[in-house]
Amino acid sequence: MTRYLSLYFTRIGFSVATALLGAVFALPLIWFIFAPFNPRAELGLAVPDPFSLANFETVFQNAFALRGLWNSLIQSVGGVILVGAGATLASYALSRSPIRGKNVITYILLLFSSVVSGSAAMVPIFLIVNGMGLIDTHIAVILVFAGGLLPTAMFILRDFIDGIPKSYEESAMVAGASPVQAFFDVALPVIRPGVVVVVVWAFVNIWGSFLIPFILLRSSEKMPASVAIYSFYSEAGTPIVTLLAAYSLLYSLPVIVLYLFVSWKFGFRFFGGIKA
Amino acid sequence: MASVSFDSVTKKFGDFTAVSDLGIEIGDGEFVCLLGPSGCGKTTTLRMIAGLETPTSGRVRIGDRDVTFMHPKDRKISMVFQDYALYPHMNLADNIAYPLKVRGESQEKRHARAREVADVLKIGQLLERMPSQISGGQQQRTSLARALVYPSDVYLFDEPLSNLDAKLRLEARGFLNHLQRDMGMTAVYVTHDQAEAMALATRIAVMDAGIVVQYAPPLEVYRRPATTFVANFVGNPPMNLLPVEAMIADGALHLRAGGLAVVPLKVTRAAAKALEAGRSLTLGVRPEHLAVASGGEENTIEGELFANENMGPEALVTLEREDTARFTARIFTDEMVALEGRVRLGFAADHIHLFDGEGLRLPLDGEEG
Ligand SMILES: Nc1ncnc2c1ncn2[C@@H]1O[C@H](COP(=O)(O)OP(=O)(O)OP(=O)(O)O)[C@@H](O)[C@H]1O
Ligand SMILES: [Mg+2]
């Protein structure tokens, strides 16, 4: 009996502890949802009273900040297209082709990617982009992000494709499809869940990056939101909490929308058609 | 329809030889089974016909076309994969009609044709379903339908029934046999199930470690296995094999082993030659050719009763000899055979097989060669 009782109290204690822990993590999120609608928002948590859209009105008058969102979109979508298409084709080739040493190639690429996208490579990257005359262009940002993210994307996707039986494409080719047809008709739809994961991952990565666009861009009308967010800091460097909160909410909306869209449209899942 | 021929085809994966100097011909309208244990190179052979694997050396022909290096899509073949490889994102109709789609048929035409084939295979009411929403047997028939939806020169099957349960397998086997009779298709069928091969094939190619050890009609393979390997692989339960000591005396061939009595055999030229190489031969007797001997000494083998399994219409009686070699008899009877202690099994003289020291068949009196 006492044993059951002690088990019971252990359970309660555990649940309370996890609930507290959860609350600690939830607090910033709650602030994040409430503060934008509170014209008197401070760093403390408060329920908006009155509930108002005044913060957003002010933010929408800041042309630089709004352009930032648009620029973020250009750079992210551009980068995602490059990373998605490049990683899909490259990892498919790496997975299916019989070339020797393809594992070595993949690992070397992965190694380089952590260098290329890291801050350590900032100076050479700046020099290269400068040498190409691409400083202060969207293309520069897109290319550098694509270069940095591609190897890891290829690595993730190749692992995924390796797990998909070759017999899908083989049966298509035996049935009369050319390799290109077999890829688009059969292989691509089957590996699509993997591509979606990589695309979301790449989007989130580019959308949230600060350093690369900050260094490669000059003119304020090309800066992405991650940089433009600093326009809600006063000269002295203190944040204007109300506006910052509203802008942050706007800034995170695309990512949330992307997640919802993807899980509604594709689902983060893999549908197997092979009998085990 | 067309014939298929291999001209000394060898396939290596690195240093490993998967198929070695293959030279079989598959006639127009034949149903050939590639039979052998796991890893003997059956799938590799099939994939070389399909073009999914390129021979390291040698030539593959379909009809009078040399297809050795031809892309699979140009070979005019159909193939059923062991895992079925149904496209998970297409419904059954699109799956079955896919070969017609790549041939540029209109949606209307190809769906009509898919329905026709699906109806024959009794999956016509499932065409809207996705592959993940149907049973294993239905998946198997879908992949079969996809292979049959367009006319091909050769139909290839890689263990298409191995994922089915026993009952469905029998049913599908019967259907394939019917289909073969109906269409007269040229087919190459990979299996490691000897009963499947016996039931379906016009000829069986028995493979062992990349080599075709016998290529003959099923009954020939069963009645005159070329090697001890074939003897052991074909038949259920497998043929009883017993090492015997042989010698020629009084113009007859005498076989000796503990507990065994065999009437002296006529000396054939092959037997005489084999005895020059050594005196140890292998005697083979199929379980179905053994019966419980009531008395008499001739053509019998004796040992302790090891097992007596009743299987319904038949019983498997196994005896164990002093050297732990076992002999199994398959006795057709409606009743349990009451046996105990020492058992003597008898066989007819014209149902014994003899193999030389290397395991190659020695023709006996009355056989050619
Ligand atoms: N791509 C490959 N690379 C290296 N070795 C291979 C490859 N494909 C097959 N092999 C080897 O070749 C041999 C024959 O393989 P194969 O698939 O033809 O066997 P199988 O007779 O079909 O066997 P199972 O009944 O198990 O399907 C095996 O030992 C296998 O390990
Ligand atoms: Mg196989």
Side-chain angles (χ1 to χ4, degrees), chain B residues 287-296 298-301 303 305 307-308 315-319 327-333 335-348:
Chain B
E288 47 273 44
H289 295 142
L290 284 162
V292 178
S294 43
E298 293 189 335
N299 286 345
T300 57
I301 182 159
L305 180 67
N308 185 358
L316 297 182
V317 174
T318 307
L319 63 76
F327 247 66
T328 299
R330 193 167 157 200
I331 296 163
F332 292 85
T333 167
E335 282 154 44
M336 189 84 183
V337 197
L339 288 171
E340 245 179 289
R342 286 196 81 72
V343 177
R344 191 183 283 267
L345 297 172
F347 47 88

Side-chain angles (χ1 to χ4, degrees), chain B residues 2-21:
Chain B
S3 59
V4 177
S5 68
F6 286 93
D7 188 3
S8 54
V9 169
T10 296
K11 175 67 187 179
K12 292 185 182 178
F13 294 107
D15 291 337
F16 179 79
T17 307
V19 174
S20 171
D21 197 27

